[in-house]
Amino acid sequence: MANTQVKRLMLLLIVALGVASVYKYIDYVNKAAATEGWSASGGAPASNNKYYNNNNNNEQHLFTNSTGDSSPIRAAMVALVRNSELDGMRATIRQVEDRFNRRFGYPYVFINDEDFTEEFKEGVRAMTKAPVHFGKLPPEHWGLSEHVSEEAVQEALKRNKDRYIYGGSYSYRLMCRYQSGFVHKHPLLKDLDYYWRIEPGVSYFCDIPYDPFRYMRDNRLVYGFTISPMEKADTVETLWETTRKWILQNPDMLPDKSFIRWAVTDNSKYTMCHFWSNFEIVDLSFYRSEAYESYFQHLDRAGGFFYERWGDAPVHSLAAAMLLRKDQLHWFEDIGYHHPGYAHCPNKPDMVSQCVCPRSSDYMYRSVCNRRFGRTEDVVKSRALELAGLPDKAEK
């Protein structure tokens, strides 16, 4: 009899604890839902507006996403990736989906210089319910530029092999040239207005409950970034000099105002500052513009993608600085991000609550280039031409 009563008491205790746990979980869910209304100053719109999508229906047209208004956004996540990078790409997609795209359903576009394997396709499709597209890049977009000689390139690779990372890599140079002048020309991107570049093996530290594409469009932003480091000077020894020549040869292509003083000092010294283009959200009309195409062709004729190691990041950044205004550029401070080499973690209280990342990942709050971005203003066209006309000399 006593044992029966003890068993009944134990059963009642277990039930009571279970009910309490359920109510505790419901309370947690309610509080979590309430925090979706966060507002992050300096780059993240409030959640009670059109940038947020609480609709879980991901059935959309190709390259189109609409979050409630009548104007769809033609955008996608785009990656240039090898079959061998499947594991890293799957890890990236999982984070992009968890942090952002499960709420919006934007498509993915994967580009390779070889045919994608069925293993890669199946592995990627398993990570998302969004549309996925695979494409092989056109052969004319990949390979040695017609403006350089193979012999001279091989000599440059040997000379630079031990000078800096990827100094002797031919494939890395092909990638940089492709990302600088061809990725936006791929047939799979022809119907896109915006793209978000993603890469294998990166980390997204923060929830992104709003739509960065819509935020870019509605605020007439052209180029969005998360990290802005300095380039290694040895890799771009003649890039600014070559850029100066393009400016002086094409003054009519410069806008009335530009942000060029972020990239060069008052003494026309190249600052080496650039937007790290492994993460970029871009209005593709910029890369398709006559001015950008002219600039890329000028750089390609100079041969620096192969003879030096001009990266797509400094190329994109110099183009953005000399062809755009500051109010067309945007630092996504609230998007915590890590690519091997640098990491950014927001430190503002209303942003930190959305992130899981090492507090030591504060590079952007120490970055010389980010501080310069904050204090630099646009200059008029005549001043930009002056800066291009001055000889490159050390800043006093």
Side-chain angles (χ1 to χ4, degrees), residues 1 11 27 59 67 84 86 161 193 251 314 333 355 362 396:
M1 185 73 176
L11 179 61
D27 182 61
E59 295 181 3
T67 57
S84 59
L86 174 59
K161 181 178 179 180
D193 295 324
E333 181 180 2
C355 306
D362 60 350
K396 298 178 180 177

Side-chain angles (χ1 to χ4, degrees), residues 262-274:
W262 179 70
V264 296
T265 70
D266 286 334
N267 289 324
S268 196
K269 176 74 173 179
Y270 183 25
T271 65
M272 304 292 164
C273 288
H274 66 283

Side-chain angles (χ1 to χ4, degrees), residues 192-209:
L192 292 183
D193 295 324
Y194 296 86
Y195 95 137
W196 179 334
R197 178 171 162 182
I198 61 174
E199 297 217 345
V202 300
S203 298
Y204 288 85
F205 295 136
C206 308
D207 283 342
I208 310 170

